[in-house]
Coordinates of all heavy atoms in Angstrom, one line a residue:
L311 N 15.3 -13.4 14.5 CA 16.4 -12.4 14.5 C 16.2 -11.3 15.4 O 15.1 -11.0 15.9 CB 16.6 -11.9 13.0 CG 16.9 -12.9 11.9 CD1 16.8 -12.2 10.6 CD2 18.3 -13.4 12.1
S312 N 17.3 -10.6 15.7 CA 17.1 -9.4 16.6 C 16.5 -8.2 15.9 O 16.6 -8.1 14.7 CB 18.5 -9.0 17.1 OG 19.2 -8.3 16.0
P313 N 15.7 -7.5 16.6 CA 15.0 -6.3 16.0 C 16.0 -5.4 15.2 O 15.7 -4.9 14.1 CB 14.3 -5.6 17.1 CG 14.0 -6.7 18.1 CD 15.2 -7.7 18.0
P314 N 17.2 -5.1 15.8 CA 18.1 -4.2 15.0 C 18.5 -4.8 13.7 O 18.6 -4.0 12.7 CB 19.3 -4.0 15.9 CG 18.8 -4.3 17.3 CD 17.7 -5.3 17.1
T315 N 18.7 -6.1 13.6 CA 19.1 -6.7 12.4 C 18.0 -6.6 11.3 O 18.2 -6.2 10.2 CB 19.4 -8.2 12.6 OG1 20.4 -8.3 13.5 CG2 19.7 -8.9 11.3
V316 N 16.7 -6.8 11.8 CA 15.6 -6.7 10.9 C 15.4 -5.3 10.5 O 15.1 -5.0 9.3 CB 14.3 -7.3 11.7 CG1 13.0 -7.0 10.9 CG2 14.5 -8.8 11.8
H317 N 15.5 -4.3 11.4 CA 15.3 -2.9 11.2 C 16.2 -2.4 10.0 O 15.8 -1.7 9.1 CB 15.5 -2.1 12.4 CG 15.4 -0.6 12.2 ND1 14.1 -0.1 12.1 CD2 16.3 0.4 12.1 CE1 14.2 1.2 11.9 NE2 15.5 1.5 11.9
E318 N 17.4 -2.9 10.0 CA 18.4 -2.5 9.0 C 17.9 -3.1 7.6 O 18.0 -2.3 6.6 CB 19.8 -3.1 9.3 CG 20.9 -2.7 8.3 CD 22.2 -3.3 8.7 OE1 22.5 -3.6 9.9 OE2 23.0 -3.5 7.8
M319 N 17.5 -4.3 7.6 CA 17.1 -4.9 6.3 C 15.7 -4.2 5.8 O 15.6 -4.0 4.6 CB 16.9 -6.4 6.3 CG 16.5 -7.0 5.0 SD 17.6 -6.7 3.7 CE 18.8 -8.0 3.9
I320 N 14.8 -4.0 6.7 CA 13.6 -3.3 6.4 C 13.9 -1.9 5.7 O 13.3 -1.6 4.7 CB 12.7 -3.1 7.6 CG1 12.2 -4.5 8.1 CG2 11.5 -2.3 7.3 CD1 11.3 -5.3 7.2
G321 N 14.9 -1.2 6.3 CA 15.3 0.0 5.7 C 15.8 -0.1 4.3 O 15.6 0.7 3.4
R322 N 16.6 -1.2 4.1 CA 17.1 -1.5 2.7 C 16.0 -1.8 1.8 O 16.0 -1.3 0.6 CB 18.1 -2.6 2.8 CG 18.9 -2.6 1.5 CD 20.0 -3.6 1.4 NE 20.6 -4.3 2.5 CZ 21.3 -5.4 2.5 NH1 21.5 -6.0 1.3 NH2 21.8 -5.9 3.6
L323 N 15.0 -2.6 2.2 CA 13.9 -2.9 1.3 C 13.1 -1.7 1.0 O 12.6 -1.6 -0.2 CB 12.9 -3.9 2.0 CG 13.5 -5.4 2.2 CD1 12.5 -6.2 3.1 CD2 13.7 -6.0 0.8
E324 N 13.0 -0.8 1.9 CA 12.3 0.5 1.7 C 13.0 1.3 0.7 O 12.5 1.8 -0.3 CB 12.0 1.2 3.0 CG 11.2 2.5 2.8 CD 10.9 3.2 4.1 OE1 11.7 3.1 5.1 OE2 9.8 3.8 4.2
H325 N 14.3 1.4 0.9 CA 15.3 2.2 0.0 C 15.2 1.6 -1.4 O 15.2 2.4 -2.4 CB 16.7 2.2 0.6 CG 17.7 2.9 -0.3 ND1 18.4 2.2 -1.2 CD2 18.0 4.2 -0.4 CE1 19.2 3.1 -1.9 NE2 18.9 4.3 -1.4
D326 N 15.2 0.3 -1.5 CA 15.2 -0.4 -2.8 C 13.8 -0.4 -3.5 O 13.7 -0.9 -4.6 CB 15.7 -1.8 -2.7 CG 17.2 -1.8 -2.4 OD1 17.8 -0.8 -2.5 OD2 17.7 -2.9 -2.1
G327 N 12.8 0.2 -2.8 CA 11.5 0.4 -3.5 C 10.5 -0.8 -3.4 O 9.5 -0.9 -4.1
Y328 N 10.8 -1.8 -2.5 CA 9.9 -3.0 -2.4 C 8.8 -2.8 -1.4 O 7.7 -3.4 -1.5 CB 10.8 -4.2 -1.9 CG 11.7 -4.7 -2.9 CD1 13.1 -4.6 -2.7 CD2 11.3 -5.3 -4.1 CE1 14.1 -5.0 -3.6 CE2 12.2 -5.7 -5.0 CZ 13.6 -5.6 -4.8 OH 14.5 -6.0 -5.7
I329 N 9.0 -1.9 -0.4 CA 8.0 -1.6 0.6 C 8.0 -0.2 1.0 O 8.9 0.6 0.6 CB 8.3 -2.4 1.9 CG1 9.7 -2.0 2.5 CG2 8.3 -3.9 1.7 CD1 9.9 -2.4 4.0
T330 N 6.9 0.2 1.7 CA 6.8 1.5 2.3 C 6.5 1.3 3.7 O 6.0 0.3 4.1 CB 5.7 2.4 1.6 OG1 4.4 1.7 1.8 CG2 5.9 2.6 0.1
R331 N 6.7 2.4 4.5 CA 6.3 2.4 5.9 C 5.6 3.6 6.3 O 6.0 4.7 5.8 CB 7.5 2.3 6.8 CG 8.2 0.9 6.8 CD 9.3 0.7 7.8 NE 10.5 1.5 7.3 CZ 11.7 1.6 8.0 NH1 11.8 0.9 9.1 NH2 12.6 2.3 7.5
D332 N 4.5 3.5 7.1 CA 3.8 4.7 7.5 C 4.3 5.3 8.8 O 5.3 4.8 9.3 CB 2.3 4.4 7.5 CG 1.9 3.4 8.6 OD1 2.7 3.1 9.5 OD2 0.8 2.9 8.5
R333 N 3.7 6.3 9.3 CA 4.2 6.9 10.6 C 4.3 5.9 11.8 O 5.1 6.0 12.6 CB 3.3 8.0 11.0 CG 3.5 9.3 10.1 CD 2.6 10.4 10.6 NE 2.3 11.2 9.4 CZ 1.8 12.4 9.5 NH1 1.5 13.0 10.6 NH2 1.6 13.0 8.4
E334 N 3.3 4.9 11.8 CA 3.3 3.9 12.8 C 4.3 2.8 12.5 O 4.4 1.8 13.2 CB 1.9 3.3 13.0 CG 1.0 4.3 13.7 CD 0.4 5.4 12.7 OE1 0.1 5.0 11.6 OE2 0.4 6.5 13.1
R335 N 5.1 2.9 11.4 CA 6.1 2.0 11.0 C 5.4 0.7 10.5 O 6.1 -0.4 10.3 CB 7.1 1.6 12.1 CG 7.8 2.8 12.7 CD 8.3 3.8 11.7 NE 9.7 3.8 11.4 CZ 10.2 4.4 10.3 NH1 9.4 5.0 9.5 NH2 11.5 4.4 10.1
A336 N 4.1 0.7 10.2 CA 3.5 -0.4 9.5 C 4.0 -0.6 8.1 O 4.2 0.5 7.4 CB 2.0 -0.3 9.5
I337 N 4.3 -1.8 7.7 CA 4.9 -2.0 6.4 C 3.8 -2.4 5.4 O 2.9 -3.1 5.7 CB 5.9 -3.2 6.5 CG1 7.1 -2.8 7.5 CG2 6.5 -3.6 5.1 CD1 7.9 -4.0 7.9
A338 N 4.0 -1.9 4.1 CA 3.1 -2.2 3.0 C 4.0 -2.5 1.8 O 5.1 -1.8 1.6 CB 2.1 -1.1 2.8
F339 N 3.6 -3.4 1.0 CA 4.3 -3.6 -0.3 C 4.1 -2.5 -1.3 O 2.9 -2.0 -1.4 CB 3.9 -4.9 -1.0 CG 4.4 -6.2 -0.3 CD1 3.6 -7.1 0.2 CD2 5.8 -6.4 -0.3 CE1 4.1 -8.2 0.8 CE2 6.3 -7.6 0.2 CZ 5.4 -8.5 0.8
T340 N 5.0 -2.1 -2.0 CA 4.8 -1.3 -3.2 C 4.3 -2.2 -4.3 O 4.4 -3.5 -4.1 CB 6.1 -0.6 -3.7 OG1 7.0 -1.7 -4.1 CG2 6.8 0.3 -2.7
P341 N 3.7 -1.8 -5.4 CA 3.2 -2.7 -6.4 C 4.3 -3.6 -6.9 O 4.1 -4.8 -7.0 CB 2.7 -1.7 -7.5 CG 2.3 -0.5 -6.8 CD 3.3 -0.3 -5.6
S342 N 5.5 -3.1 -7.2 CA 6.6 -4.0 -7.6 C 7.1 -4.9 -6.5 O 7.4 -6.0 -6.8 CB 7.7 -3.1 -8.2 OG 8.4 -2.4 -7.2
G343 N 7.0 -4.4 -5.3 CA 7.4 -5.3 -4.2 C 6.5 -6.5 -4.0 O 6.9 -7.6 -3.8
A344 N 5.2 -6.2 -4.1 CA 4.2 -7.2 -4.0 C 4.3 -8.3 -5.1 O 4.3 -9.5 -4.9 CB 2.8 -6.6 -4.0
E345 N 4.6 -7.8 -6.3 CA 4.8 -8.7 -7.5 C 6.0 -9.5 -7.3 O 6.0 -10.7 -7.5 CB 4.9 -7.8 -8.7 CG 4.9 -8.6 -10.0 CD 5.1 -7.6 -11.2 OE1 4.4 -6.6 -11.2 OE2 5.9 -7.9 -12.1
H346 N 7.1 -8.9 -6.8 CA 8.3 -9.7 -6.6 C 8.1 -10.7 -5.5 O 8.6 -11.9 -5.6 CB 9.5 -8.7 -6.2 CG 10.8 -9.3 -6.4 ND1 11.3 -9.6 -7.6 CD2 11.7 -9.6 -5.5 CE1 12.5 -10.2 -7.4 NE2 12.8 -10.2 -6.1
A347 N 7.5 -10.3 -4.3 CA 7.3 -11.2 -3.2 C 6.4 -12.4 -3.7 O 6.7 -13.6 -3.3 CB 6.7 -10.5 -2.1
E348 N 5.4 -12.1 -4.4 CA 4.5 -13.2 -4.9 C 5.3 -14.1 -5.8 O 5.1 -15.3 -5.7 CB 3.3 -12.6 -5.7 CG 2.2 -13.5 -5.9 CD 1.0 -12.8 -6.5 OE1 0.8 -11.6 -6.2 OE2 0.3 -13.5 -7.3
G349 N 6.1 -13.6 -6.6 CA 6.9 -14.5 -7.5 C 7.9 -15.4 -6.8 O 8.0 -16.5 -7.1
I350 N 8.5 -14.8 -5.7 CA 9.4 -15.7 -4.8 C 8.6 -16.8 -4.2 O 9.0 -18.0 -4.2 CB 10.0 -14.8 -3.7 CG1 10.9 -13.7 -4.4 CG2 10.8 -15.6 -2.7 CD1 11.2 -12.6 -3.4
V351 N 7.4 -16.4 -3.6 CA 6.6 -17.5 -2.9 C 6.1 -18.5 -3.9 O 6.2 -19.7 -3.7 CB 5.4 -16.8 -2.1 CG1 4.5 -17.8 -1.7 CG2 6.0 -16.0 -1.0
R352 N 5.7 -18.0 -5.1 CA 5.2 -19.0 -6.1 C 6.3 -19.9 -6.5 O 6.1 -21.2 -6.6 CB 4.7 -18.2 -7.3 CG 3.9 -19.1 -8.3 CD 3.4 -18.3 -9.6 NE 2.7 -17.1 -9.2 CZ 3.1 -15.9 -9.7 NH1 4.2 -15.8 -10.4 NH2 2.4 -14.8 -9.3
R353 N 7.5 -19.4 -6.8 CA 8.7 -20.2 -7.1 C 8.9 -21.3 -6.1 O 9.2 -22.4 -6.4 CB 9.9 -19.3 -7.4 CG 11.1 -20.1 -8.0 CD 12.1 -19.1 -8.4 NE 12.8 -18.5 -7.2 CZ 13.0 -17.2 -7.1 NH1 12.6 -16.3 -8.0 NH2 13.6 -16.8 -6.0
H354 N 9.0 -20.9 -4.8 CA 9.2 -21.8 -3.7 C 8.2 -22.9 -3.6 O 8.5 -24.0 -3.3 CB 9.4 -21.0 -2.4 CG 10.7 -20.3 -2.3 ND1 11.2 -19.7 -1.2 CD2 11.6 -20.0 -3.3 CE1 12.3 -19.1 -1.4 NE2 12.6 -19.3 -2.7
R355 N 6.9 -22.5 -3.8 CA 5.8 -23.5 -3.7 C 5.9 -24.5 -4.9 O 5.6 -25.6 -4.7 CB 4.5 -22.7 -3.7 CG 4.2 -22.1 -2.4 CD 2.9 -21.3 -2.4 NE 2.7 -20.7 -1.1 CZ 1.8 -19.7 -0.9 NH1 1.1 -19.2 -1.9 NH2 1.7 -19.2 0.3
L356 N 6.3 -24.0 -6.0 CA 6.5 -24.9 -7.2 C 7.6 -25.9 -6.9 O 7.5 -27.1 -7.2 CB 6.8 -24.1 -8.5 CG 5.7 -23.5 -9.2 CD1 6.1 -22.6 -10.3 CD2 4.8 -24.6 -9.8
I357 N 8.7 -25.4 -6.4 CA 9.9 -26.3 -6.0 C 9.4 -27.3 -5.0 O 9.7 -28.5 -5.1 CB 11.1 -25.4 -5.6 CG1 11.6 -24.6 -6.7 CG2 12.2 -26.4 -5.0 CD1 12.6 -23.5 -6.3
E358 N 8.7 -26.8 -3.9 CA 8.3 -27.7 -2.9 C 7.4 -28.8 -3.5 O 7.5 -30.0 -3.2 CB 7.4 -27.0 -1.9 CG 8.2 -26.6 -0.7 CD 7.2 -25.8 0.3 OE1 6.1 -26.1 0.5 OE2 7.8 -24.8 0.8
R359 N 6.4 -28.4 -4.3 CA 5.5 -29.4 -5.0 C 6.3 -30.4 -5.8 O 6.0 -31.5 -5.8 CB 4.5 -28.6 -5.8 CG 3.5 -29.4 -6.5 CD 2.1 -29.0 -6.0 NE 1.2 -30.0 -6.5 CZ 0.2 -29.7 -7.3 NH1 0.0 -28.5 -7.7 NH2 -0.6 -30.6 -7.8
F360 N 7.2 -29.9 -6.6 CA 8.0 -30.7 -7.4 C 8.8 -31.8 -6.6 O 8.8 -33.0 -6.9 CB 9.1 -29.9 -8.2 CG 10.0 -30.7 -9.1 CD1 9.6 -31.3 -10.3 CD2 11.3 -30.9 -8.6 CE1 10.5 -32.1 -11.0 CE2 12.2 -31.7 -9.4 CZ 11.8 -32.3 -10.5
L361 N 9.3 -31.4 -5.4 CA 10.1 -32.3 -4.6 C 9.2 -33.3 -3.8 O 9.7 -34.3 -3.5 CB 11.0 -31.5 -3.6 CG 12.1 -30.6 -4.3 CD1 12.7 -29.8 -3.2 CD2 13.1 -31.5 -5.0

Side-chain angles (χ1 to χ4, degrees):
L311 295 171
S312 72
T315 299
V316 170
H317 181 75
E318 185 180 332
M319 180 60 82
I320 294 294
R322 194 175 344 160
L323 290 172
E324 186 175 28
H325 178 265
D326 289 351
Y328 293 112
I329 61 166
T330 60
R331 288 186 287 182
D332 64 17
R333 283 180 212 198
E334 288 77 44
R335 307 316 257 164
I337 298 164
F339 284 118
T340 62
S342 67
E345 188 179 317
H346 196 68
E348 195 174 328
I350 294 160
V351 170
R352 190 180 314 119
R353 187 173 70 230
H354 287 189
R355 286 177 179 161
L356 278 170
I357 292 166
E358 263 177 42
R359 182 117 188 241
F360 175 77
L361 293 174

